[in-house]
């Protein structure tokens, strides 16, 4: 099955074309465009270049297109990307303004350009469909809940891959199979012994997810991707009382407050240096106090959520690091694990230092919990889910 995975940003379009079969799949082509003004033009250009390069002889050969959609109003899961998916994206366009409008446009455009292909949307919220009401409800009036304000959780594709892969690496094939088939079969009874994972997706955007037997129990992210850990330039958790106070005291309009919280906060906001942790780390090493504070805030927040999920899970079998910072940041991993030996998390400092962006177990041989680094590959997750959906 030829599956094109479309990654649509507010001004970018990237794609990977996968050839998928039951045993796995491979990337057969990839490409992308920046500063996109008209999705229709670049999508048609991408299809023409695939033909020109001999990857396909006709666009009709592409069986399906997968979209990593973020947040839908009253819609989640791995679904056929039809008008109801477009309506759901547009219904929450104001909550995810950088993501939802491009995906709604992209789905419309692909429906025109590839009328024979099946279009599938995998919502980032899908992995959290089975969280308890207590974990996903905010203490707000009913009218607020009725318009869809609740915790959704994001990075679902990445954390679901961690649920599958960590179970495989820990010899829990029963859990791995439940996680793989989650969007087709829902949660299933697994072996008697629970398998408890805390997954840390640490990148430009970061979140921590608790996973029990292959199914998410909660996320550090809430209603929008604004919440949870400090992000590269987005705020993360903030007391709701701070926004009206800042607006009144600083005399700034609401839109400006929103812009500052979405563009000038997070690691950039605290450090005043950069939204890239490598620059912040270099400044901290040179003695910059706010850069040091930015890194400490990130570590503090990761440990806060790690602790919360370890209590909810009554322990931990695997702590996993993924995405740019999680895969490369040995210093951040060491700081997160510092002093947690008594909770069963025993990091091997040599293995940790040696591990850069490769799959590895970096715990000591005798550590009760495994500490794993698992590289993220969200496009592959999309291709796999689209393949499972259309084959089931
Ligand atoms: P991602 O969102 O997964 O692409 O991750 C992007 C983030 O990974 C950026 O903020 C980078 O600072 C971070 N990153 C990339 N390489 C490294 C590295 N060698 N050490 C620490 N962080 C890194």
């Amino acid at each position: 099955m030829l599956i094109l995975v479309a990654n649509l940003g507010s001004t970018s379009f990237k794609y990977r074309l996968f050839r998928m079969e039951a045993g796995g799949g491979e990337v057969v082509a990839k490409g992308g465009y920046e500063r996109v003004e008209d999705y229709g033009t670049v999508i048609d250009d991408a299809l023409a270049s695939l033909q020109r390069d001999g990857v396909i002889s006709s666009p009709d050969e592409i069986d399906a297109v997968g979209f990593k959609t973020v947040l839908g109003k009253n819609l989640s899961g791995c679904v056929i990307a039809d008008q109801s998916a477009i309506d759901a994206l547009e219904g929450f366009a104001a909550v995810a303004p950088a993501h939802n409008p491009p995906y709604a446009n992209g789905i419309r455009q692909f429906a025109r350009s590839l009328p024979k292909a099946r279009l599938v949307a995998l919502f980032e919220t899908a992995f959290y469909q089975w969280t308890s009401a207590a974990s996903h409800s905010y203490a707000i009036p009913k009218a607020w809940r009725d318009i869809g304000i609740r915790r959704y959780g994001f990075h679902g594709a990445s954390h679901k891959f961690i649920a599958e892969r960590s179970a495989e690496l820990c010899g829990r094939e029963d859990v791995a199979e439940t996680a793989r088939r989650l969007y087709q079969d829902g949660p299933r009874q697994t072996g008697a012994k629970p398998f408890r994972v805390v997954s840390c997706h640490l990148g430009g955007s970061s979140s921590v997810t608790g996973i029990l037997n292959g199914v998410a129990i909660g996320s550090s992210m809430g209603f929008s991707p604004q919440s949870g850990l400090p992000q590269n330039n987005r705020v993360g958790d903030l007391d709701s009382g701070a926004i009206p106070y800042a607006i009144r005291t600083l005399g700034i309009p609401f839109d400006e407050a929103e812009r500052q919280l979405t563009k000038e906060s997070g690691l950039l906001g605290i450090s005043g240096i950069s939204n890239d942790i490598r620059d912040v780390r270099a400044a901290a090493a040179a003695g910059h106090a706010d850069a040091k504070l930015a890194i400490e805030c990130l570590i503090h927040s990761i440990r806060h959520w790690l602790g919360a999920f370890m209590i909810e899970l009554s322990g931990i079998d695997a702590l996993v690091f993924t995405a740019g910072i999680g895969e490369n940041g040995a210093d951040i991993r060491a700081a997160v694990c510092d002093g947690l030996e008594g909770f069963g998390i025993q990091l091997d400092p040599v293995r940790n230092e040696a591990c850069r962006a490769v799959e590895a177990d970096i715990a000591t041989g005798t550590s009760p919990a495994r500490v794993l680094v698992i590289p993220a590959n969200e496009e592959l997750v999309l291709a796999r889910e689209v393949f499972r959906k259309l084959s089931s």
Side-chain angles (χ1 to χ4, degrees):
M1 191 185 291
L2 263 188
I3 300 175
L4 190 130
V5 174
N7 186 340
L8 295 149
S10 43
T11 58
S12 66
F13 165 55
K14 294 185 200 128
Y15 65 89
R16 281 192 201 181
L17 185 65
F18 287 83
R19 190 179 307 283
M20 299 298 292
E21 49 195 48
E26 55 166 356
V27 178
V28 291
K30 61 182 174 180
Y33 301 80
E34 301 288 342
R35 301 204 184 112
V36 173
E37 283 174 15
D38 174 19
Y39 288 105
T41 309
V42 290
I43 288 168
D44 288 340
D45 191 72
L47 295 172
S49 77
L50 287 171
Q51 257 180 291
R52 226 177 13 251
D53 297 345
V55 181
I56 52 174
S57 44
S58 150
D60 287 350
E61 286 172 21
I62 296 176
D63 297 293
V65 184
F67 302 91
K68 190 163 69 80
T69 45
V70 174
L71 175 66
K73 189 164 192 180
N74 300 322
L75 187 66
S76 190
C78 185
V79 302
I80 298 298
D82 54 14
Q83 188 57 43
S84 62
I86 293 173
D87 292 345
L89 288 167
E90 290 183 335
F92 266 161
V95 188
H99 297 101
N100 279 13
Y103 274 106
N105 284 340
I107 292 170
R108 275 198 195 93
Q109 195 55 50
F110 270 105
R112 270 185 223 119
S113 302
L114 293 178
K116 293 195 174 149
R118 312 280 307 273
L119 308 185
V120 177
L122 173 62
F123 282 92
E124 288 286 61
T125 52
F127 193 42
Y128 306 95
Q129 292 172 76
W130 297 280
T131 55
S132 70
S135 100
H136 67 231
S137 301
Y138 290 118
I140 47 178
K142 184 166 183 313
W144 290 46
R145 284 182 276 137
D146 287 348
I147 58 168
I149 299 178
R150 48 161 282 188
R151 283 186 183 281
Y152 289 102
F154 297 92
H155 294 138
S158 174
H159 290 298
K160 180 176 184 285
F161 178 66
I162 298 304
E164 296 176 15
R165 190 67 192 137
S166 61
E168 287 166 5
L169 291 172
C170 293
R172 289 297 302 265
E173 185 47 36
D174 56 332
V175 174
E177 183 59 8
T178 296
R180 278 184 219 115
R181 297 205 46 82
L182 194 57
Y183 300 156
Q184 285 77 52
D185 298 348
R188 293 186 307 176
Q189 198 69 40
T190 53
K193 199 165 171 290
F195 183 63
R196 304 156 302 179
V197 175
V198 178
S199 171
C200 303
H201 176 112
L202 310 176
S205 169
S206 301
S207 67
V208 177
T209 288
I211 305 170
L212 177 63
N213 296 332
V215 186
I217 61 157
S219 166
S220 60
M221 275 185 172
F223 175 60
S224 79
Q226 283 285 13
S227 50
L229 312 184
Q231 316 289 336
N232 60 352
N233 62 355
R234 289 179 279 124
V235 62
D237 282 340
L238 177 72
D239 187 312
S240 60
I243 299 172
Y245 175 75
I247 286 174
R248 290 186 193 117
T249 311
L250 299 174
I252 52 174
F254 175 84
D255 287 354
E256 173 58 12
E258 189 177 33
R259 191 192 67 77
Q260 292 184 15
L261 292 173
T262 52
K263 301 248 174 7
E264 293 180 356
S265 296
L267 292 178
L268 171 65
I270 306 176
S271 70
I273 296 276
S274 166
N275 64 5
D276 190 311
I277 200 162
R278 288 166 289 193
D279 303 331
V280 180
R281 181 204 276 142
H288 192 290
D290 283 344
K292 196 160 168 276
L293 177 63
I295 292 177
E296 286 169 359
C297 282
L298 176 65
I299 292 163
H300 182 274
S301 185
I302 299 165
R303 286 167 63 93
H304 173 91
W305 285 100
L306 168 61
F309 289 127
M310 281 174 66
I311 291 290
E312 277 197 60
L313 293 163
S314 302
I316 185 166
D317 298 298
L319 169 62
V320 186
F321 293 96
T322 189
I325 299 172
E327 291 163 29
N328 294 287
D331 53 342
I332 303 289
R333 297 190 299 247
V336 169
C337 297
D338 187 37
L340 300 184
E341 293 80 5
F343 295 96
I345 295 171
Q346 296 173 3
L347 189 73
D348 182 317
V350 177
R351 287 181 189 166
N352 180 44
E353 272 304 321
C355 176
R356 293 279 186 278
V358 290
E359 190 171 274
D361 183 342
I362 56 172
T364 63
T366 53
S367 175
R370 306 325 304 156
V371 183
L372 305 172
V373 176
I374 301 179
N377 187 344
E378 292 172 275
E379 284 82 8
L380 176 62
V381 174
L382 255 287
R384 284 178 177 177
E385 290 304 327
V386 172
F387 181 77
R388 283 177 193 137
K389 167 117 192 132
L390 298 180
S391 317
S392 65

